[in-house]
Amino acid sequence: MVAVVLGAVLGGLLVAPALRGLVVRYAVPEDTPWCTRCPGCERELRGLRPGGRCPGCRERLGPGAWQVEAVTVAVAAAALSATDPADAVLLLWAAGPGVVLGFTDARVRRLPYPLSWALAAGLAVLLVVLELAAGRPGVLLRCLLVALAAAALFELPGWFGLMGAGDTVLALGLGALLGRYGWSAAFTGLFAASVLAGLWALALAAAALARRRSVRGLDLPMGPFLLLGTLVAVLLR
């Protein structure tokens, strides 16, 4: 357990600056170019320190101090705690783009295609390699079926403007991952995501009522809850 914690802390802190930089890059409104330079001093943005400020002009960029770092370390610890090395590999891959997608969706209600497709494509490649190496090619068919079912589940509400296209792509990739563990794991992941999203919505509504504000029009990002629900399902399988 000590080795897991130390590995998660070291690994998380090493990759967190790059992830924070990606959050700043992609957390922009629709039809807006990706943010590659600081709005204040035009300095090119790559990795950012935990304080979340531009190294040049010290303007605050992206999430608050240490938020990305804390989430990255926590997700890395959860992935490394998996008893099956294959599970750890899959979760660690999903953790990188997943952290960026979660923060981006929470900030601007958007799941950028470059990240969501990268997550899905990487999981597909890893699943093919791992299952063929384990002599279980039949599992890949189930991964495909679960992925298509999850994508369809989120695509239908998208026709009515209730979901974004990015949610469909994210569900496709995470559905493939959940399919490795069976239909029950897929149901657990989607159920956990729905419950967590519902609880968060209730918390937001209660906060709005306490401030005597209207609860109508509360915009809830689904990406973070899909990611968290998938993590819970894999670890509890």
Side-chain angles (χ1 to χ4, degrees), residues 82-110:
T83 55
D84 186 351
D87 293 344
V89 170
L90 290 165
L91 290 176
L92 284 174
W93 166 256
V99 168
V100 180
L101 286 167
F103 274 99
T104 301
D105 199 19
R107 291 178 66 83
V108 296
R109 306 300 187 265
R110 184 182 186 185

Side-chain angles (χ1 to χ4, degrees), residues 40-237:
C41 65
E42 292 295 321
R43 181 189 181 102
E44 185 176 2
L45 298 176
R46 293 181 180 177
L48 291 176
R49 297 175 181 176
R53 294 186 179 275
C54 172
C57 65
R58 305 301 297 168
E59 179 178 348
R60 180 170 294 282
L61 301 170
W66 290 99
Q67 290 182 8
V68 175
E69 291 73 19
V71 172
T72 302
V73 168
V75 173
L80 291 175
S81 68
T83 55
D84 186 351
D87 293 344
V89 170
L90 290 165
L91 290 176
L92 284 174
W93 166 256
V99 168
V100 180
L101 286 167
F103 274 99
T104 301
D105 199 19
R107 291 178 66 83
V108 296
R109 306 300 187 265
R110 184 182 186 185
L111 293 169
Y113 282 139
L115 290 173
S116 52
W117 277 116
L119 186 149
L123 286 176
V125 171
L126 287 174
L127 285 169
V128 170
V129 172
L130 291 173
E131 297 308 323
L132 290 181
R136 302 187 304 177
V139 173
L140 296 175
L141 177 59
R142 186 175 65 213
C143 292
L144 177 61
L145 293 176
V146 174
L148 294 176
L153 185 64
F154 282 86
E155 178 66 17
L156 290 176
W159 292 352
F160 302 96
L162 301 177
M163 291 283 181
D167 294 298
T168 302
V169 179
L170 181 60
L172 182 73
L174 297 181
L177 174 59
L178 291 172
R180 181 175 190 260
Y181 310 105
W183 289 96
S184 60
F187 175 80
T188 300
L190 293 174
F191 179 76
S194 300
V195 170
L196 292 170
L199 293 175
W200 185 249
L202 288 175
L204 291 179
L209 291 174
R211 297 175 182 177
R212 297 183 179 180
R213 297 179 179 177
S214 174
V215 297
R216 292 184 179 181
L218 288 178
D219 194 4
L220 190 69
M222 196 62 194
F225 302 106
L226 272 174
L227 292 161
L228 187 56
T230 300
L231 178 63
V232 170
V234 173
L235 294 179
L236 294 181
R237 67 182 181 88

